[in-house]
Coordinates of all heavy atoms in Angstrom, one line a residue:
M1 N 121.3 94.5 100.7 CA 120.6 95.1 101.7 C 120.6 94.2 103.0 O 120.3 93.1 102.9 CB 119.1 95.4 101.3 CG 118.3 96.0 102.4 SD 116.9 97.0 101.8 CE 115.7 95.7 101.8
T2 N 121.1 94.8 104.1 CA 121.2 94.2 105.2 C 120.0 94.2 106.1 O 119.0 95.0 105.8 CB 122.4 94.6 106.0 OG1 122.1 96.0 106.4 CG2 123.7 94.6 105.2
L3 N 119.9 93.6 107.2 CA 118.8 93.5 108.2 C 118.8 94.9 108.8 O 117.7 95.5 109.0 CB 119.0 92.5 109.3 CG 118.0 92.4 110.3 CD1 116.5 92.0 109.7 CD2 118.4 91.3 111.3
T4 N 119.8 95.6 108.9 CA 119.9 96.9 109.7 C 119.1 98.0 108.6 O 118.4 98.8 109.2 CB 121.4 97.4 109.9 OG1 122.0 96.5 110.7 CG2 121.4 98.7 110.7
H5 N 119.5 97.8 107.4 CA 118.8 98.7 106.5 C 117.3 98.5 106.3 O 116.6 99.4 106.2 CB 119.4 98.5 105.1 CG 120.8 99.0 105.0 ND1 121.9 98.3 104.4 CD2 121.3 100.4 105.1 CE1 122.9 99.0 104.5 NE2 122.6 100.3 104.9
A6 N 116.9 97.2 106.4 CA 115.5 96.9 106.3 C 114.8 97.5 107.6 O 113.7 98.0 107.5 CB 115.3 95.4 106.2
L7 N 115.4 97.2 108.8 CA 114.8 97.7 109.8 C 114.7 99.4 110.0 O 113.7 99.9 110.4 CB 115.6 97.2 111.3 CG 115.3 95.7 111.6 CD1 116.2 95.3 112.6 CD2 114.0 95.4 111.8
A8 N 115.8 99.8 109.4 CA 115.8 101.4 109.5 C 114.6 101.9 108.4 O 114.0 102.9 108.8 CB 117.1 101.9 109.0
G9 N 114.6 101.2 107.3 CA 113.6 101.6 106.4 C 112.1 101.5 107.0 O 111.2 102.3 106.8
L10 N 112.0 100.4 107.7 CA 110.6 100.0 108.4 C 110.4 101.0 109.4 O 109.2 101.5 109.6 CB 110.7 98.5 108.9 CG 109.4 98.1 109.6 CD1 108.2 98.1 108.5 CD2 109.5 96.8 110.2
A11 N 111.4 101.5 110.2 CA 111.2 102.5 111.2 C 110.8 103.8 110.7 O 109.9 104.5 111.2 CB 112.4 102.6 112.1
I12 N 111.4 104.2 109.5 CA 111.2 105.4 108.9 C 109.8 105.4 108.3 O 109.0 106.4 108.6 CB 112.1 105.7 107.8 CG1 113.5 106.1 108.3 CG2 111.7 106.9 106.8 CD1 114.6 106.2 107.3
L13 N 109.2 104.3 107.7 CA 108.0 104.3 107.2 C 106.9 104.2 108.3 O 105.9 105.0 108.2 CB 107.7 103.0 106.4 CG 108.4 102.8 105.1 CD1 108.3 101.5 104.4 CD2 107.8 103.9 104.0
T14 N 107.3 103.6 109.5 CA 106.3 103.7 110.5 C 106.1 105.0 111.1 O 105.1 105.5 111.4 CB 106.7 102.7 111.6 OG1 106.9 101.3 111.0 CG2 105.9 102.7 112.8
A15 N 107.4 105.7 111.2 CA 107.5 107.2 111.8 C 106.5 108.0 110.9 O 105.8 108.8 111.3 CB 108.7 107.6 111.9
G16 N 106.7 107.9 109.7 CA 106.0 108.7 108.6 C 104.5 108.4 108.7 O 103.7 109.3 108.6
Y17 N 104.2 107.1 108.8 CA 102.7 106.9 109.0 C 102.1 107.5 110.2 O 101.1 107.9 110.2 CB 102.6 105.3 109.0 CG 101.2 105.0 109.2 CD1 100.2 104.9 108.4 CD2 100.8 104.5 110.5 CE1 99.0 104.5 108.6 CE2 99.5 104.0 110.8 CZ 98.6 104.1 109.8 OH 97.2 103.8 110.1
L18 N 102.8 107.4 111.4 CA 102.3 107.9 112.6 C 102.4 109.4 112.5 O 101.2 109.9 113.0 CB 103.1 107.4 113.7 CG 103.1 106.0 114.1 CD1 104.0 105.5 115.2 CD2 101.8 105.5 114.4
I19 N 103.1 110.1 112.1 CA 103.1 111.5 111.8 C 102.0 111.9 110.9 O 101.2 112.8 111.2 CB 104.4 112.1 111.3 CG1 105.5 112.0 112.3 CG2 104.3 113.5 110.8 CD1 106.9 112.3 112.0
G20 N 101.7 111.2 109.8 CA 100.6 111.4 108.9 C 99.2 111.2 109.6 O 98.4 111.9 109.3
R21 N 99.2 110.3 110.5 CA 97.9 110.0 111.2 C 97.7 111.0 112.3 O 96.5 111.6 112.4 CB 97.9 108.7 111.9 CG 97.9 107.6 110.9 CD 96.7 107.3 110.1 NE 95.6 107.0 111.1 CZ 94.4 107.0 110.7 NH1 94.0 107.4 109.5 NH2 93.5 106.6 111.5
Y22 N 98.8 111.5 112.8 CA 98.6 112.6 113.9 C 98.4 114.0 113.4 O 97.6 114.8 114.0 CB 99.9 112.6 114.8 CG 99.7 113.4 116.0 CD1 98.9 113.4 116.9 CD2 100.6 114.7 116.0 CE1 98.8 114.2 118.1 CE2 100.5 115.4 117.1 CZ 99.6 115.3 118.0 OH 99.5 116.2 119.1
R23 N 99.0 114.3 112.1 CA 98.7 115.5 111.4 C 99.1 116.7 112.3 O 98.3 117.7 112.5 CB 97.4 115.6 110.9 CG 96.9 114.4 109.9 CD 95.6 114.5 109.6 NE 95.3 115.7 108.8 CZ 94.2 116.0 108.3 NH1 93.2 115.1 108.2 NH2 93.8 117.0 107.7
P24 N 100.4 117.0 112.8 CA 100.7 118.0 113.7 C 100.7 119.3 112.8 O 100.3 120.3 113.5 CB 102.2 117.7 114.1 CG 102.7 116.8 113.0 CD 101.4 116.0 112.5
A25 N 100.9 119.3 111.6 CA 100.8 120.7 110.9 C 99.4 121.2 110.8 O 99.2 122.3 110.9 CB 101.4 120.5 109.4
H26 N 98.5 120.2 110.7 CA 97.0 120.6 110.5 C 96.6 121.1 111.9 O 95.8 122.1 112.0 CB 96.3 119.3 110.0 CG 94.7 119.7 109.7 ND1 94.5 120.5 108.6 CD2 93.7 119.3 110.5 CE1 93.1 120.5 108.7 NE2 92.6 119.8 109.8
R27 N 96.9 120.4 112.9 CA 96.5 120.8 114.2 C 97.1 122.2 114.6 O 96.5 123.0 115.2 CB 96.9 119.8 115.2 CG 96.2 118.5 115.1 CD 96.7 117.4 116.1 NE 96.2 116.1 115.8 CZ 95.3 115.6 116.6 NH1 95.0 116.0 117.8 NH2 94.8 114.4 116.4
T28 N 98.3 122.4 114.3 CA 99.0 123.7 114.5 C 98.3 124.8 113.8 O 98.1 125.9 114.3 CB 100.5 123.6 114.2 OG1 101.1 122.6 114.9 CG2 101.2 124.9 114.5
S29 N 97.9 124.5 112.4 CA 97.4 125.6 111.6 C 95.9 125.9 112.2 O 95.5 127.2 112.3 CB 97.2 125.0 110.3 OG 96.4 125.8 109.4
D30 N 95.1 124.8 112.7 CA 93.9 125.0 113.1 C 94.0 125.8 114.6 O 93.2 126.8 114.7 CB 93.2 123.8 113.6 CG 92.7 123.0 112.3 OD1 92.5 123.6 111.2 OD2 92.3 121.9 112.5
W31 N 95.0 125.6 115.4 CA 95.2 126.4 116.5 C 95.5 127.9 116.2 O 94.9 128.7 116.7 CB 96.4 125.8 117.3 CG 96.9 126.7 118.5 CD1 96.3 126.7 119.7 CD2 97.9 127.6 118.4 NE1 96.9 127.7 120.4 CE2 98.0 128.2 119.7 CE3 98.8 128.0 117.6 CZ2 98.9 129.2 120.0 CZ3 99.8 129.0 117.8 CH2 99.8 129.5 119.1
A32 N 96.4 128.2 115.2 CA 96.7 129.5 114.9 C 95.5 130.1 114.4 O 95.3 131.4 114.6 CB 97.7 129.5 113.9
H33 N 94.6 129.6 113.5 CA 93.4 130.3 113.0 C 92.5 130.6 114.1 O 91.8 131.6 114.1 CB 92.8 129.4 111.9 CG 93.5 129.4 110.6 ND1 93.4 130.5 109.8 CD2 94.3 128.5 110.1 CE1 94.1 130.2 108.7 NE2 94.8 129.1 108.9
W34 N 92.3 129.7 115.2 CA 91.4 129.9 116.2 C 91.9 131.0 117.2 O 91.0 131.6 117.8 CB 91.0 128.7 117.0 CG 90.0 127.8 116.4 CD1 90.1 126.7 115.6 CD2 88.6 128.1 116.3 NE1 88.9 126.3 115.2 CE2 88.0 127.1 115.6 CE3 87.9 129.1 116.8 CZ2 86.7 127.1 115.3 CZ3 86.5 129.2 116.5 CH2 86.0 128.1 115.9
Q35 N 93.2 131.3 117.2 CA 93.7 132.5 117.9 C 93.1 133.8 117.5 O 93.2 134.6 118.3 CB 95.2 132.4 118.0 CG 95.8 131.2 118.7 CD 95.3 130.9 120.1 OE1 95.3 131.7 120.9 NE2 94.8 129.7 120.3
R36 N 92.7 133.8 116.3 CA 92.3 135.1 115.8 C 90.9 135.4 116.2 O 90.5 136.6 116.1 CB 92.4 135.0 114.3 CG 93.8 134.9 113.6 CD 93.7 134.6 112.3 NE 92.9 135.4 111.5 CZ 92.7 135.2 110.3 NH1 93.1 133.9 109.6 NH2 91.9 136.0 109.5
Y37 N 90.1 134.5 116.8 CA 88.7 134.7 117.2 C 88.6 135.1 118.7 O 87.5 135.5 119.1 CB 87.8 133.5 116.9 CG 87.8 133.3 115.4 CD1 88.3 132.3 114.8 CD2 87.0 134.2 114.7 CE1 88.3 132.0 113.4 CE2 87.0 134.1 113.4 CZ 87.7 133.0 112.6 OH 87.5 132.8 111.4
G38 N 89.5 134.7 119.5 CA 89.4 135.0 120.9 C 90.1 136.5 121.1 O 90.2 137.3 120.4
P39 N 90.5 136.6 122.6 CA 91.2 137.8 122.9 C 92.4 137.8 122.1 O 93.2 136.8 121.8 CB 91.5 137.6 124.4 CG 91.1 136.4 124.7 CD 90.3 135.8 123.6
R40 N 92.9 139.1 121.7 CA 94.2 139.3 120.9 C 95.3 138.7 121.5 O 95.7 138.9 122.6 CB 94.3 140.6 120.6 CG 95.2 140.9 119.6 CD 95.2 142.4 118.9 NE 95.8 142.6 117.7 CZ 95.4 143.2 116.7 NH1 94.3 143.8 116.8 NH2 96.1 143.1 115.6
P41 N 96.0 137.7 120.9 CA 97.3 137.2 121.3 C 98.3 138.2 121.6 O 98.5 139.1 120.8 CB 97.6 136.1 120.5 CG 97.1 136.4 119.0 CD 95.8 137.3 119.5
T42 N 99.2 138.0 122.6 CA 100.2 138.9 122.9 C 101.4 138.1 123.1 O 101.4 137.0 123.5 CB 100.0 139.9 124.1 OG1 99.7 139.1 125.1 CG2 98.8 140.7 123.8
G43 N 102.7 138.8 123.1 CA 103.9 138.2 123.5 C 104.3 136.9 122.5 O 104.2 137.1 121.3
L44 N 104.6 135.9 123.1 CA 105.2 134.8 122.5 C 104.1 134.1 121.7 O 104.3 133.5 120.7 CB 105.8 133.7 123.4 CG 107.2 134.1 123.9 CD1 107.6 133.0 125.0 CD2 108.1 134.3 122.8
R45 N 102.9 134.1 122.3 CA 101.6 133.4 121.6 C 101.4 134.3 120.1 O 101.2 133.7 119.2 CB 100.5 133.6 122.4 CG 99.4 132.6 121.8 CD 98.3 132.4 122.9 NE 97.3 133.3 122.7 CZ 96.3 133.7 123.3 NH1 96.2 133.2 124.5 NH2 95.5 134.6 122.9
N46 N 101.5 135.6 120.2 CA 101.4 136.4 119.0 C 102.4 136.0 118.1 O 102.2 135.9 116.9 CB 101.4 137.8 119.3 CG 101.1 138.7 118.1 OD1 100.3 138.5 117.1 ND2 101.8 139.9 118.0
A47 N 103.8 135.9 118.5 CA 104.8 135.5 117.5 C 104.6 134.2 117.0 O 104.8 133.9 115.7 CB 106.1 135.5 118.3
A48 N 104.1 133.2 117.7 CA 103.8 131.8 117.3 C 102.7 131.7 116.1 O 102.9 131.2 115.1 CB 103.4 130.9 118.5
V49 N 101.6 132.6 116.6 CA 100.4 132.6 115.5 C 101.0 133.2 114.2 O 100.7 132.8 113.2 CB 99.3 133.4 116.0 CG1 98.2 133.7 115.0 CG2 98.7 132.7 117.3
W50 N 101.7 134.4 114.3 CA 102.3 135.0 113.1 C 103.1 134.0 112.3 O 103.1 133.9 111.1 CB 103.0 136.3 113.5 CG 103.5 137.1 112.4 CD1 102.6 138.1 111.9 CD2 104.7 137.2 111.8 NE1 103.4 138.7 110.8 CE2 104.4 138.1 110.7 CE3 105.8 136.4 111.9 CZ2 105.7 138.4 109.9 CZ3 106.8 136.6 111.1 CH2 106.8 137.6 110.0
T51 N 104.0 133.3 113.0 CA 105.0 132.5 112.3 C 104.2 131.3 111.6 O 104.5 131.1 110.5 CB 105.9 131.9 113.4 OG1 106.6 132.9 114.0 CG2 107.0 131.0 112.7
V52 N 103.2 130.7 112.3 CA 102.6 129.6 111.8 C 101.6 130.0 110.6 O 101.7 129.4 109.4 CB 101.5 129.0 112.7 CG1 100.6 128.0 112.2 CG2 102.4 128.2 113.9
L53 N 101.1 131.2 110.6 CA 100.2 131.7 109.5 C 101.2 132.0 108.4 O 100.8 131.9 107.1 CB 99.2 132.8 109.9 CG 98.2 132.4 110.9 CD1 97.4 133.4 111.3 CD2 97.4 131.3 110.3
S54 N 102.2 132.8 108.7 CA 103.1 133.1 107.5 C 103.7 131.9 106.9 O 103.8 131.8 105.6 CB 104.3 134.0 108.1 OG 103.7 135.1 108.7
A55 N 104.1 130.9 107.8 CA 104.6 129.7 107.0 C 103.7 129.0 106.2 O 103.9 128.4 105.1 CB 105.1 128.7 108.2
E56 N 102.4 129.0 106.8 CA 101.2 128.4 105.9 C 101.1 129.2 104.6 O 100.9 128.6 103.4 CB 100.0 128.4 106.7 CG 98.9 127.8 106.0 CD 97.5 127.9 107.0 OE1 97.9 127.6 108.2 OE2 96.6 128.4 106.5
N57 N 101.0 130.5 104.5 CA 100.9 131.2 103.4 C 102.1 131.2 102.4 O 101.9 131.0 101.2 CB 100.7 132.8 103.8 CG 99.3 132.9 104.4 OD1 98.3 132.2 104.1 ND2 99.2 134.0 105.2
I58 N 103.3 131.1 103.1 CA 104.5 131.0 102.0 C 104.5 129.6 101.4 O 104.7 129.4 100.3 CB 105.8 131.2 102.8 CG1 105.8 132.7 103.3 CG2 107.0 130.8 102.1 CD1 106.9 133.1 104.3
G59 N 104.2 128.5 102.2 CA 104.0 127.2 101.7 C 103.0 127.2 100.6 O 103.3 126.5 99.6
W60 N 101.8 127.8 100.8 CA 100.9 127.8 99.8 C 101.4 128.5 98.5 O 101.1 128.0 97.3 CB 99.5 128.4 100.2 CG 98.5 128.3 99.3 CD1 97.7 127.3 99.1 CD2 98.0 129.2 98.2 NE1 96.6 127.6 98.1 CE2 96.9 128.6 97.6 CE3 98.5 130.4 97.8 CZ2 96.3 129.2 96.4 CZ3 97.9 131.0 96.7 CH2 96.9 130.5 96.1
L61 N 102.0 129.8 98.6 CA 102.5 130.4 97.5 C 103.6 129.6 96.7 O 103.7 129.7 95.5 CB 103.0 131.8 97.9 CG 102.0 132.8 98.3 CD1 102.6 133.9 99.0 CD2 101.3 133.1 97.0
I62 N 104.3 128.8 97.5 CA 105.4 128.1 96.8 C 104.8 127.0 96.0 O 105.2 126.6 94.9 CB 106.4 127.4 97.9 CG1 107.3 128.7 98.4 CG2 107.3 126.3 97.3 CD1 108.2 128.2 99.6
T63 N 103.7 126.3 96.6 CA 103.0 125.2 95.9 C 102.2 125.7 94.8 O 101.7 124.8 93.9 CB 102.3 124.3 96.8 OG1 101.5 125.0 97.7 CG2 103.5 123.6 97.8
H64 N 101.5 126.8 94.8 CA 100.6 127.3 93.9 C 101.0 128.7 93.4 O 100.2 129.7 93.7 CB 99.3 127.4 94.5 CG 98.7 126.2 95.1 ND1 98.9 125.8 96.4 CD2 98.0 125.2 94.6 CE1 98.3 124.6 96.6 NE2 97.7 124.1 95.5
P65 N 102.1 128.9 92.7 CA 102.6 130.2 92.4 C 101.6 131.0 91.3 O 101.4 132.1 91.4 CB 104.0 130.0 91.7 CG 103.8 128.5 91.2 CD 102.9 127.8 92.2
R66 N 100.9 130.2 90.4 CA 100.2 130.8 89.4 C 98.9 131.4 90.1 O 98.5 132.5 89.8 CB 99.7 129.8 88.3 CG 99.3 130.5 87.2 CD 99.1 129.5 86.0 NE 100.3 129.2 85.3 CZ 100.5 128.2 84.4 NH1 99.5 127.5 84.2 NH2 101.8 128.0 83.9
Q67 N 98.2 130.5 90.9 CA 97.1 131.1 91.7 C 97.4 132.3 92.4 O 96.5 133.1 92.7 CB 96.3 129.9 92.4 CG 95.8 128.8 91.6 CD 96.8 127.8 91.4 OE1 97.9 127.9 91.4 NE2 96.2 126.6 91.1
G68 N 98.5 132.2 93.2 CA 98.9 133.3 94.1 C 99.1 134.6 93.4 O 98.6 135.7 93.8
R69 N 99.7 134.5 92.1 CA 99.9 135.7 91.4 C 98.5 136.2 91.0 O 98.3 137.4 91.0 CB 100.8 135.4 90.1 CG 101.2 136.5 89.3 CD 102.2 136.2 88.2 NE 102.6 137.4 87.5 CZ 101.7 137.8 86.4 NH1 100.7 137.2 86.1 NH2 102.1 138.8 85.7
H70 N 97.7 135.3 90.5 CA 96.4 135.9 90.0 C 95.5 136.4 91.1 O 95.0 137.6 91.0 CB 95.6 134.6 89.5 CG 94.2 135.0 88.9 ND1 93.2 135.0 89.6 CD2 93.9 135.4 87.7 CE1 92.1 135.4 88.8 NE2 92.6 135.5 87.6
A71 N 95.7 135.9 92.4 CA 95.1 136.4 93.5 C 95.6 137.8 93.8 O 94.8 138.7 94.2 CB 95.0 135.6 94.6
W72 N 96.9 137.9 93.6 CA 97.5 139.2 94.1 C 97.1 140.3 93.1 O 97.0 141.4 93.4 CB 99.1 139.0 94.0 CG 99.7 140.3 94.5 CD1 100.5 141.1 93.6 CD2 100.0 140.9 95.8 NE1 101.0 142.2 94.4 CE2 100.6 142.2 95.6 CE3 99.3 140.5 97.0 CZ2 100.9 142.8 96.8 CZ3 99.8 141.3 98.1 CH2 100.4 142.5 97.9
K73 N 97.1 139.9 91.9 CA 96.7 140.9 90.7 C 95.3 141.3 90.8 O 94.9 142.5 90.6 CB 96.9 140.3 89.4 CG 98.3 140.3 89.0 CD 98.6 139.4 87.7 CE 97.6 139.8 86.6 NZ 97.7 139.0 85.2
R74 N 94.5 140.5 91.4 CA 93.1 140.7 91.4 C 92.4 141.2 92.9 O 91.4 141.5 93.1 CB 92.2 139.5 91.1 CG 92.5 139.1 89.7 CD 91.9 139.8 88.7 NE 92.3 139.3 87.4 CZ 92.9 139.9 86.5 NH1 93.4 141.0 86.7 NH2 93.1 139.4 85.3
H75 N 93.5 141.4 93.9 CA 92.9 141.7 95.2 C 92.3 143.1 95.4 O 91.8 143.3 96.3 CB 94.0 141.4 96.1 CG 95.1 142.5 96.3 ND1 96.1 142.7 95.5 CD2 95.2 143.5 97.3 CE1 96.8 143.8 95.8 NE2 96.4 144.2 97.1
N76 N 92.6 144.1 94.5 CA 92.1 145.2 94.7 C 90.9 145.6 93.6 O 90.5 146.8 93.4 CB 93.1 146.5 94.6 CG 93.8 146.6 96.0 OD1 93.3 146.3 97.0 ND2 95.1 146.9 95.9
D77 N 90.6 144.7 92.9 CA 89.5 144.8 91.9 C 88.2 145.2 92.5 O 87.9 144.8 93.7 CB 89.2 143.6 91.0 CG 90.4 143.4 90.0 OD1 91.4 144.1 89.9 OD2 90.3 142.4 89.4
P78 N 87.5 146.1 91.9 CA 86.1 146.4 92.4 C 85.2 145.3 92.4 O 85.4 144.3 91.6 CB 85.6 147.5 91.6 CG 86.4 147.3 90.3 CD 87.8 146.8 90.6
P79 N 84.3 145.2 93.3 CA 83.3 144.1 93.2 C 82.6 144.0 91.9 O 82.4 145.1 91.3 CB 82.5 144.2 94.4 CG 82.5 145.8 94.8 CD 83.8 146.1 94.3
P80 N 82.2 142.8 91.5 CA 81.4 142.8 90.2 C 80.0 143.5 90.3 O 79.5 143.7 91.5 CB 81.1 141.3 90.1 CG 81.4 140.7 91.4 CD 82.4 141.6 92.1
R81 N 79.5 144.0 89.2 CA 78.3 144.6 89.2 C 77.1 143.7 89.6 O 77.1 142.6 89.3 CB 77.9 145.2 87.8 CG 79.0 146.2 87.4 CD 78.7 146.8 85.9 NE 77.5 147.7 86.2 CZ 76.6 147.9 85.3 NH1 76.8 147.4 84.1 NH2 75.7 148.9 85.5
R82 N 76.3 144.3 90.4 CA 75.0 143.4 90.8 C 74.1 143.4 89.7 O 73.8 144.3 88.9 CB 74.4 144.1 92.1 CG 75.5 144.2 93.3 CD 74.8 144.8 94.4 NE 73.6 144.1 94.8 CZ 72.9 144.4 96.0 NH1 73.2 145.4 96.6 NH2 71.8 143.7 96.3
S83 N 73.3 142.3 89.7 CA 72.3 142.2 88.8 C 71.2 143.0 89.1 O 70.9 143.4 90.2 CB 71.9 140.8 88.6 OG 71.4 140.3 89.9
P84 N 70.3 143.4 88.2 CA 69.1 144.3 88.5 C 68.1 143.5 89.5 O 68.1 142.3 89.5 CB 68.5 144.6 87.1 CG 69.0 143.6 86.1 CD 70.4 143.1 86.7
A85 N 67.5 144.4 90.1 CA 66.5 143.8 91.2 C 65.4 143.0 90.4 O 65.0 143.4 89.3 CB 66.0 144.8 92.0
V86 N 64.9 142.0 91.1 CA 63.8 141.1 90.5 C 62.6 141.9 90.4 O 62.2 142.6 91.5 CB 63.7 139.9 91.3 CG1 62.6 139.1 90.9 CG2 64.9 139.1 91.3
R87 N 61.9 142.0 89.4 CA 60.5 142.7 89.4 C 59.5 141.7 89.6 O 59.4 140.6 88.8 CB 60.5 143.3 88.0 CG 61.4 144.5 87.8 CD 61.0 145.3 86.6 NE 59.8 145.8 86.5 CZ 59.2 146.4 85.6 NH1 59.9 146.7 84.5 NH2 57.9 146.8 85.8
I88 N 58.5 142.0 90.4 CA 57.4 141.2 90.7 C 56.2 142.0 90.1 O 55.9 142.9 90.7 CB 57.3 140.8 92.2 CG1 58.5 140.1 92.6 CG2 56.0 140.0 92.4 CD1 58.5 139.9 94.1
N89 N 55.6 141.4 89.1 CA 54.5 142.1 88.5 C 53.2 141.6 89.4 O 53.0 140.3 89.5 CB 54.1 141.7 87.0 CG 55.3 142.3 86.3 OD1 55.9 143.3 86.6 ND2 55.7 141.6 85.2
T90 N 52.4 142.5 89.9 CA 51.1 142.1 90.6 C 50.0 142.6 89.6 O 49.9 143.6 88.9 CB 51.1 142.9 91.9 OG1 51.0 144.4 91.7 CG2 52.2 142.5 92.8
R91 N 49.0 141.9 89.7 CA 47.7 142.1 88.9 C 46.7 142.6 89.9 O 46.4 142.0 90.9 CB 47.3 140.7 88.1 CG 48.3 140.3 87.3 CD 47.9 139.1 86.5 NE 46.7 139.2 85.9 CZ 45.9 138.2 85.5 NH1 46.5 137.0 85.4 NH2 44.7 138.3 85.0
D92 N 46.1 143.7 89.5 CA 45.0 144.4 90.2 C 43.6 143.5 89.9 O 42.8 143.3 90.9 CB 44.7 145.7 90.0 CG 46.0 146.6 90.3 OD1 46.6 146.0 91.4 OD2 46.2 147.6 89.8
D93 N 43.4 143.1 88.7 CA 42.2 142.4 88.5 C 42.4 140.8 88.6 O 42.8 140.1 87.6 CB 41.7 142.8 87.1 CG 42.8 142.4 86.0 OD1 43.6 141.5 86.3 OD2 42.9 143.2 85.0
Q94 N 42.1 140.4 89.8 CA 42.3 138.9 90.1 C 41.0 138.1 89.7 O 39.9 138.6 89.9 CB 42.7 138.7 91.6 CG 44.0 139.2 91.9 CD 44.2 138.9 93.4 OE1 43.4 138.4 94.2 NE2 45.5 139.1 93.8
E95 N 41.3 137.1 89.1 CA 40.0 136.2 88.7 C 39.5 135.4 89.8 O 40.4 134.7 90.5 CB 40.4 135.4 87.4 CG 40.8 136.3 86.2 CD 41.1 135.3 85.0 OE1 40.5 134.2 85.0 OE2 41.8 135.7 84.3
T96 N 38.4 135.3 90.1 CA 37.9 134.5 91.3 C 36.9 133.4 90.8 O 36.4 133.4 89.7 CB 37.1 135.4 92.3 OG1 36.1 136.0 91.7 CG2 38.1 136.3 93.0

């Protein structure tokens, strides 16, 4: 291993560390999610939001295929039955 290889490896590790600290994908994802709460995005901003959210969803499906399939199968299930209402018994003859 030469000095050039060592310096290149160190530069790659440093760049990876700095990108990990900056977290550009996380910041982009947060930006795309917040665009859904303001005025509706139009034009290029709408395309950018749609692309970021689609890439995020596709990435999640690639890394979690089993959970994604389970969620897809269950997405139209009816809501679970509610438990019966709580009964509160009141006593008319209170002891004093």
